[in-house]
Amino acid sequence: MMKLYPSVLAEMTDFLHFVSKLAYSLREADSPAEICFVLHQNLFSQLEATHNEFYIVYPGRTTLLPPPAEFRNHSDPFFSHVPHYLELNENHIRQVIKTKKPVIFNDPDVSLPLLSETGNNSHLLTPVFNNGDIHGLLYCGHESPGYFGEEYIHGFTAIAAILGSRFKTIDEISTLHDNIHNLERAEKVQTALFEISDAAHNVGSMPELYETMHIIVSSMISAKNFYIALTENSDDGTTISFPYYVDEYDSHFQGKRIPLKPGEQRTLTGFMIENGVPLLTGPANFDQVCETHDITFLGSKPTSWLGAPFFNEQVSGAVVVQSYDDIIYSERDKELIVYVARHVGDALSRKKNFDQLKVAKEKAESEKTNKSSFLANMSHEIRTPMNGIIGVTDLLLGTDLNEQQRTYLEMVKTSSDRLLTLVNDILDFSKIEAGKFGIKRSTFRLRDTLAAPLSLLRVQTAQKDIELTTIIEPNVPELLIGDPNHLCQIILNLIGNAIKFTDVGGVRIQVTKDHDAADLKENQVALLFSISDTGIGIPTDQQKKIFNAYEQVETIGNEFYKGTGLGLVVTTQLVELMSGKIWLESTADQGSCFYFKVPFLIPTPMKSSIQPAARSATNFIGNKRKRGLRILLAEDDRISQTIAVAVLESQGWEVTAVVNGQEVLDELENNHHDLILMDVQMPEMNGFETTRKIRVHSNRKTSKIPIIAMTAHAVRGDREKCLAAGMNGYLSKPIETKVFMEIIDKILSNSAPI
Ligand code: ADP
């Protein structure tokens, strides 16, 4: 065993060796208690015959205590010969601390019971300082009075210095730890805040958001018990509902609705929402808060309860965490919950706005579609009787009439023509609005396709005594893939307008390949159509407006030019449906030119075969004179049938009328007919089906009979369908003799169908 006699050189060396060993073993100690442990292991065990202990200073306390039991050396037989504790305020201790050096006390000059009780007669007290702060006291005691001498003072001064420096290092390490911890927490807080805000902005459903918020909060603080409350106003007063309630004891609140003030007392949540400020309670103030504010606490009593309210114009409510164990929430936790509450409130309010908007939008959309569908159906229904009126009027005009009757009847005819145009426009417009107008692609010959509408329009230009010129430039491909029906309708509308507003001069349609067209694929071509007239023109300020629904050029206001203002809207929408664009150049009193540009596909040469059914039947009538044709008319509507029969018979043709597809087939079996005029919509077997049957099943001769479809439908949509079913031509009701003759001409002259 070493003795502390530094006056002897060898022992001095021993001592230095010991001190450095102590310093070395202290390297690992990173708490006051561990320092004690090292002292017990490496110092006290080396000191002969003395009773030793180290007393730790705890921040905020005046009592210095020995280290916790596990850090003491239990095998030390003299353990009992040391003080139980020391008091900072005691005189002797104060003296030691003031001196900052080891101090020796010998009985009987000690009047300190804590020391005398040890049974020792001499005591050595060594203060351990670091940066001027006392960290602990080393005690050594011995039975013999005067046991400790100068050499102990020197030795323990050195040991205290080593211990002080270790305390310094521990302080520095713990500051460093604190800094790291704070940094980590700051980073965690930042991530959590970002996650909260992100979740609130990208919320799918509210339950999902509540759950996500709970998970994020749990990553930051203890949140086993977490709920979200919402206030709701109803006829029964204000209530609080709990759309999310996770709790160890009270999870039955999930989905519940309770009055804000049960029995006119408040709930804690209700109080906080009303009060509008966050609330943090712990065991020290929970009862007091409830008492002061007249609060009935409905759930199980928590140790700590932390909530934050949220409110905006749309919603109010709260986010709450509570603990039933020893967790007590802090001010720092409060900040987090306040942040969560704000974001939940914002997300709820956004969601509410969004839902309201969605409902309003859906309502508006369904109203619009309903309106459009209704208009579409109505206008379709109106067409049939209109056709009756127009047809009968035509028939009457063909009879002997006096001057006055003829004038009146022509007025009937003009008005009904106008009405029919209007109904057609509404039908198209409402169909587009209701989204029922699709693009149907097929391969077609542009020149043939344009022939039909142009021949119709030529009747009108002839009546007005103006020119109608068509120029299709040679650079325009013969075959195209696109929607020929829509194209015809666009051209009909634009030329129709041009004719309507031109009294002198003429109308010209020109088609050319658009060389400027960018963004075209290899197999595409853009065609530029221009429809120019020498009519009244459109003033510059009105030019944009006429493309809007129901707008017409104001200055005209002339009864003569009455229209709906829908034609150009339909036209524009059709052009856009075909991925094209439309524009206009016009000078008042000089004329207008409407342009539209539409892309088409060009078929690869091998695939371009069109309408084979048409060709097979074209020679059926052969060179038979048009006069004396035997026509089979299939039409179920009595008025339409009467009109058609009258029109056809007035041409000297022989007409057999039947009312459905089956009768057509029967009639073909039994009698010879040159041509069938067939209504598309018939009961039992419609026109398409009947045609297919004739083409496939009847004998070789009958199967090639020309069939011309008649329909009161939105004319342009059905043409392709008729041709696909094997019909040769297409006629819209009421039958106009002139158009009918032209179709027959076409069939006879072996040209493509109309
Ligand atoms: P509607 O002709 O049925 O009134 P449109 O949409 O087809 O409806 O035309 C809207 C208006 O644009 C017409 O009423 C007319 O004032 C003007 N407009 C259209 N085309 C021409 C044209 N070629 N020349 C002069 N004005 C035209």
Side-chain angles (χ1 to χ4, degrees):
M1 284 282 170
M2 180 194 75
K3 276 189 184 166
L4 291 171
Y5 293 118
S7 52
V8 182
L9 192 63
E11 285 177 348
M12 176 82 152
T13 316
D14 264 2
F15 179 71
L16 283 177
H17 179 68
F18 163 75
V19 166
S20 67
K21 227 177 112 189
L22 178 67
Y24 184 79
S25 20
L26 275 170
R27 270 190 345 176
E28 299 295 316
D30 55 9
S31 71
E34 277 175 25
I35 288 182
C36 285
F37 182 73
V38 175
L39 287 174
H40 276 269
Q41 293 282 310
N42 298 290
L43 174 66
F44 301 158
S45 61
Q46 305 290 312
L47 293 175
E48 248 177 32
T50 55
H51 307 293
N52 316 290
E53 187 53 279
F54 184 69
Y55 296 84
I56 304 167
V57 176
Y58 289 99
R61 292 207 198 162
T62 56
T63 310
L64 287 85
L65 291 173
E70 69 265 30
F71 292 102
R72 286 190 300 229
N73 193 351
H74 293 280
S75 61
D76 184 351
F78 303 106
F79 174 63
S80 55
H81 295 278
V82 294
H84 295 302
Y85 62 92
L86 296 171
E87 269 299 331
L88 272 182
N89 292 330
E90 204 279 327
N91 273 340
H92 295 79
I93 310 295
R94 289 229 311 249
Q95 185 200 333
V96 173
I97 293 171
K98 206 171 157 199
T99 324
K100 294 194 174 182
K101 287 248 165 64
V103 178
I104 301 166
F105 296 101
N106 283 308
D107 262 348
D109 48 303
V110 188
S111 55
L112 175 57
L114 287 172
L115 296 187
S116 348
E117 274 165 21
T118 58
N120 297 323
N121 288 308
S122 53
H123 318 272
L124 173 68
L125 282 169
T126 309
V128 175
F129 274 94
N130 159 36
N131 275 348
D133 294 328
I134 177 87
H135 278 266
L137 276 174
L138 266 168
Y139 171 84
C140 295
H142 200 275
E143 289 84 13
S144 330
Y147 180 79
F148 299 109
E150 260 316 282
E151 75 277 12
Y152 270 92
I153 303 277
H154 288 305
F156 272 88
T157 305
I159 291 168
I162 294 171
L163 291 176
S165 100
R166 188 63 213 166
F167 272 108
K168 188 174 175 193
T169 315
I170 291 178
D171 267 2
E172 281 167 2
I173 290 174
S174 105
T175 317
L176 216 69
H177 268 148
D178 280 356
N179 286 346
I180 292 172
H181 182 75
N182 283 343
L183 257 168
E184 277 172 1
R185 194 189 140 84
E187 207 169 282
K188 228 169 129 188
V189 167
Q190 246 184 13
T191 313
L193 298 189
F194 171 77
E195 281 174 358
I196 290 166
S197 141
D198 185 56
H201 281 87
N202 300 309
V203 50
S205 67
M206 288 320 288
E208 212 177 284
L209 175 72
Y210 300 148
E211 205 180 322
T212 311
M213 290 295 181
H214 187 185
I215 294 170
I216 301 170
V217 170
S218 300
S219 74
M220 295 301 297
I221 60 175
S222 166
K224 263 191 244 163
N225 309 296
F226 177 95
Y227 70 83
I228 287 174
L230 293 179
T231 56
E232 280 166 26
N233 290 314
S234 68
D235 295 343
D236 314 334
T238 309
T239 55
I240 300 180
S241 68
F242 299 100
Y244 188 87
Y245 208 111
V246 173
D247 200 277
E248 290 167 275
Y249 300 108
D250 294 335
S251 55
H252 57 272
F253 279 116
Q254 165 80 45
K256 259 211 179 145
R257 189 179 303 272
I258 56 164
L260 183 70
K261 292 181 184 173
E264 281 316 298
Q265 284 185 313
R266 301 182 189 86
T267 63
L268 190 56
T269 315
F271 162 70
M272 186 184 63
I273 294 173
E274 275 187 328
N275 205 23
V277 285
L279 184 62
L280 169 61
T281 71
N285 67 345
F286 185 81
D287 291 336
Q288 188 209 334
V289 168
C290 290
E291 239 167 71
T292 322
H293 300 290
D294 213 2
I295 286 163
T296 323
F297 193 77
L298 293 181
S300 313
K301 189 176 164 183
T303 323
S304 186
W305 189 99
L306 165 63
F310 55 81
F311 26 47
N312 50 48
E313 320 87 75
Q314 299 278 349
V315 284
S316 67
V319 175
V320 176
V321 279
Q322 48 185 336
S323 76
Y324 299 108
D325 45 28
D326 56 357
I327 302 282
I328 296 170
Y329 295 110
S330 66
E331 285 294 324
R332 213 151 67 162
D333 302 339
K334 192 161 97 180
E335 284 168 23
L336 176 76
I337 296 298
V338 167
Y339 189 82
V340 170
R342 206 180 74 215
H343 276 87
V344 169
D346 287 354
L348 274 167
S349 139
R350 265 197 308 277
K351 177 100 173 93
K352 215 163 185 170
N353 277 332
F354 180 75
D355 287 349
Q356 281 167 357
L357 262 176
K358 206 167 136 196
V359 170
K361 182 172 166 258
E362 274 163 10
K363 197 169 156 231
E365 270 172 3
S366 90
E367 274 169 9
K368 189 177 158 198
T369 324
N370 285 346
K371 192 183 89 191
S372 304
S373 301
F374 171 76
L375 273 177
N377 292 337
M378 274 307 290
S379 22
H380 181 66
E381 290 304 313
I382 295 169
R383 287 166 66 102
T384 311
M386 271 311 297
N387 286 333
I389 295 170
I390 293 172
V392 174
T393 312
D394 270 343
L395 286 178
L396 275 179
L397 279 170
T399 61
D400 282 342
L401 298 168
N402 67 33
E403 199 57 27
Q404 198 181 26
Q405 284 169 330
R406 183 162 298 279
T407 315
Y408 288 158
L409 216 51
E410 266 161 4
M411 283 163 75
V412 172
K413 171 92 164 98
T414 317
S415 300
S416 16
D417 279 345
R418 227 180 254 165
L419 193 54
L420 191 63
T421 315
L422 186 146
V423 171
N424 281 341
D425 280 352
I426 293 178
L427 181 61
D428 289 343
F429 180 64
S430 44
K431 268 191 159 181
I432 292 176
E433 290 259 287
K436 290 183 185 167
F437 227 87
I439 287 283
K440 289 194 191 98
R441 274 213 194 134
S442 62
T443 308
F444 66 98
R445 281 176 206 279
L446 180 69
R447 289 168 180 81
D448 290 344
T449 303
L450 293 186
L454 288 174
S455 64
L456 278 178
L457 293 162
R458 223 172 276 286
V459 180
Q460 292 178 34
T461 44
Q463 274 169 358
K464 284 190 93 169
D465 202 15
I466 54 176
E467 295 277 331
L468 176 59
T469 323
T470 311
I471 302 166
I472 301 179
E473 304 262 350
N475 64 8
V476 175
E478 182 64 25
L479 285 173
L480 297 169
I481 298 175
D483 191 326
N485 300 319
H486 284 172
L487 183 64
C488 282
Q489 190 176 352
I490 294 165
I491 286 173
L492 267 171
N493 285 355
L494 293 177
I495 302 187
N497 274 350
I499 297 173
K500 189 154 81 173
F501 296 105
T502 305
D503 293 329
V504 184
V507 175
R508 195 175 86 133
I509 167 167
Q510 187 168 3
V511 191
T512 181
K513 196 164 152 182
D514 180 33
H515 294 290
D516 301 338
D519 303 335
L520 281 182
K521 296 199 189 83
E522 206 181 299
N523 59 343
Q524 275 187 324
V525 62
L527 296 187
L528 175 65
F529 295 78
S530 60
I531 290 98
S532 50
D533 63 57
T534 53
I536 60 172
I538 302 166
T540 323
D541 59 327
Q542 307 278 330
Q543 289 181 8
K544 277 234 163 66
K545 273 168 70 177
I546 58 167
F547 290 103
N548 298 336
Y550 312 111
E551 294 259 15
Q552 292 170 311
V553 173
E554 284 162 10
T555 46
I556 294 169
N558 184 336
E559 275 293 298
F560 185 75
Y561 294 126
K562 272 247 174 293
T564 54
L566 279 178
L568 282 176
V569 182
V570 172
T571 306
T572 309
Q573 284 172 335
L574 285 175
V575 171
E576 282 166 5
L577 269 176
M578 296 171 80
S579 318
K581 62 175 193 174
I582 182 166
W583 69 99
L584 144 83
E585 281 169 12
S586 180
T587 314
D589 299 328
Q590 288 187 20
S592 314
C593 185
F594 283 84
Y595 297 92
F596 69 95
K597 195 157 72 175
V598 181
F600 293 95
L601 287 172
I602 312 167
T604 46
M606 288 308 291
K607 290 181 186 160
S608 61
S609 80
I610 51 161
Q611 297 138 11
R615 299 215 171 275
S616 65
T618 45
N619 269 335
F620 187 80
I621 305 172
N623 291 327
K624 194 171 182 127
R625 285 168 48 85
K626 273 188 267 168
R627 301 226 163 248
L629 278 180
R630 290 165 61 98
I631 297 173
L632 176 57
L633 172 76
E635 167 65 83
D636 65 305
D637 183 76
R638 205 178 54 79
I639 297 181
S640 301
Q641 196 189 76
T642 312
I643 298 166
V645 171
V647 169
L648 299 172
E649 283 181 349
S650 70
Q651 297 299 313
W653 295 323
E654 196 180 305
V655 185
T656 309
V658 295
V659 294
N660 62 45
Q662 190 53 52
E663 285 186 17
V664 173
L665 298 181
D666 295 346
E667 188 57 37
L668 283 182
E669 282 272 302
N670 303 320
N671 298 305
H672 168 78
H673 298 278
D674 296 317
L675 182 95
I676 305 178
L677 261 179
M678 180 133 58
D679 185 20
V680 169
Q681 270 188 326
M682 288 186 296
E684 286 161 47
M685 194 190 293
N686 69 27
F688 299 129
E689 201 186 331
T690 314
T691 306
R692 261 178 244 121
K693 286 216 158 121
I694 295 170
R695 294 285 180 244
V696 179
H697 298 299
S698 50
N699 65 49
R700 243 184 86 229
K701 196 161 179 222
T702 328
S703 71
K704 292 202 175 131
I705 186 167
I707 302 174
I708 297 172
M710 294 188 299
T711 174
H713 271 247
V715 204
R716 12 271 166 173
D718 279 335
R719 181 177 178 272
E720 291 300 310
K721 239 166 128 186
C722 294
L723 297 178
M727 296 176 173
N728 304 80
Y730 174 93
L731 210 56
S732 88
K733 289 196 276 187
I735 299 170
E736 282 190 41
T737 333
K738 233 184 183 162
V739 183
F740 183 56
M741 290 293 282
E742 275 170 8
I743 291 178
I744 291 183
D745 266 346
K746 291 240 164 193
I747 292 172
L748 291 181
S749 65
N750 197 14
S751 69
I754 307 300

